[in-house]
Amino acid sequence: MGVVVTDAEVTLADVLSLRLAIDEPLEDGTELVLRHRTTGVERDVLLGSPGARAREATLAVSLAPLELSTGRWDAYLRREGKRSRLRSVDPGFSLDHLDAYALCRRTLAYRSYRTRNGFLALKISDAEPVAEVRSIWFREGRFEVMGLLAYTGLEDDDSRHEAVMTLERRQTGAHLKSTATVQGVRFHAAVSLVDVLAADPEGSGTWEPALHVDGVPATLRLGARLDDVDGKRRRLHYPSARVDGVLIKPCYTADDELRIEVGG
């Protein structure tokens, strides 16, 4: 039986919604199997015969009751002990949908996507409150960053919130802070590059930025995870700046957290 996913989405209620193109209706006893790529742990859901039309079927699977752990899960269909990976033609990426999904306070974030080989998979990650970076630039002697507050539960409205951006060098204990603007869930923060150098004039190293927002108890790390770019440390390269001959540039860690590198 030929089955291809033509549309895949995890809804705001953490339900995996699928539209399938099929040669014939799914038979009773057909199961959707999700297999953890690292551990091999499997979860299965009995589908029955959901197809009202011979060439199309729609499925809705609630993910929370399956107790899926963080990581990547590959999708299969299984019938009478035989299973095959579920092919997909849907790239599974919508920045607008990811932004809307991130407005709710969550502990886990579920996302469907198409693998490089054209199969359906899920990516599950911890959903702690973060400051999601969307734009970075140097101008007028300042480092500036804009983005979206994710998983905080704040409303996407015109409300203004007091906020501060801090930069810290763990190696030396140096600390710096500047005011930030937060309207609804959108933030903008800037810091003088001269102040960055003055805060730790003797050493080159890495600064860790974070955002502190009134009404949000957690410290918000600055990072970039709500997109389809893996390995940002290797793939994303921003313009650098020189202040008094010292090179300053933004970069990402292996965990996609933002850093500012000074010197080197």
Side-chain angles (χ1 to χ4, degrees):
M1 177 179 64
V3 181
V4 177
V5 176
T6 58
D7 185 75
E9 179 183 73
V10 176
T11 71
L12 300 185
D14 290 335
V15 172
L16 176 61
S17 176
L18 301 177
R19 181 176 293 113
L20 309 177
I22 58 178
D23 293 339
E24 57 189 36
L26 300 179
E27 300 178 13
D28 287 331
T30 301
E31 296 173 300
L32 173 68
V33 179
L34 298 175
R35 185 177 190 275
H36 194 279
R37 193 173 296 175
T38 302
T39 65
V41 170
E42 293 185 355
R43 298 286 188 268
D44 55 75
V45 179
L46 184 63
L47 301 180
S49 182
R53 288 177 288 179
R55 295 190 178 276
E56 185 176 338
T58 56
L59 305 174
V61 177
S62 181
L63 296 174
L66 299 181
E67 298 183 347
L68 304 175
S69 60
T70 57
R72 296 179 186 266
W73 294 73
D74 294 310
Y76 298 81
L77 283 184
R78 181 168 60 198
R79 169 64 179 161
E80 296 181 346
K82 297 180 181 180
R83 71 180 186 183
S84 58
R85 290 189 70 178
L86 193 50
R87 291 196 169 274
S88 176
V89 295
D90 181 3
F93 177 76
S94 165
L95 189 58
D96 289 342
H97 173 75
L98 292 178
D99 284 356
Y101 185 86
L103 292 180
C104 298
R105 184 179 285 110
R106 304 175 185 276
T107 56
L108 288 177
Y110 302 86
R111 177 180 153 197
S112 63
Y113 71 101
R114 183 182 62 190
T115 68
R116 292 181 181 179
N117 295 327
F119 297 103
L120 177 69
L122 294 177
K123 179 182 179 181
I124 303 175
S125 55
D126 293 321
E128 60 183 14
V130 295
E132 178 73 11
V133 174
R134 288 292 159 79
S135 300
I136 297 172
W137 62 92
F138 291 123
R139 63 181 176 186
E140 298 178 352
R142 299 183 301 174
F143 166 76
E144 298 191 41
V145 57
M146 296 179 61
L148 170 82
L149 304 184
Y151 309 123
T152 63
L154 294 179
E155 296 292 334
D156 187 11
D157 54 22
D158 292 330
S159 300
R160 290 187 175 271
H161 308 272
E162 296 292 327
V164 172
M165 182 174 70
T166 60
L167 290 92
E168 180 181 2
R169 276 207 66 201
R170 293 190 183 184
Q171 301 95 325
T172 63
H175 190 82
L176 182 65
K177 67 179 182 179
S178 63
T179 58
T181 301
V182 174
Q183 182 171 336
V185 295
R186 316 289 165 172
F187 74 89
H188 171 267
V191 63
S192 166
L193 297 178
V194 172
D195 290 345
V196 172
L197 293 182
D200 193 6
E202 300 301 326
S204 301
T206 302
W207 291 82
E208 301 180 13
L211 205 63
H212 307 263
V213 182
D214 282 356
V216 180
T219 296
L220 304 180
R221 312 303 300 181
L222 270 68
R225 297 185 176 92
L226 301 183
D227 56 33
D228 61 346
V229 181
D230 291 326
K232 292 182 180 64
R233 185 170 183 83
R234 301 188 313 273
R235 298 185 180 185
L236 292 185
H237 302 281
Y238 293 101
S240 59
R242 285 190 179 273
V243 178
D244 295 333
V246 179
L247 181 68
I248 304 177
K249 63 180 181 179
C251 66
Y252 286 99
T253 68
D255 296 327
D256 292 337
E257 288 193 354
L258 181 65
R259 296 291 186 266
I260 299 175
E261 292 187 349
V262 176

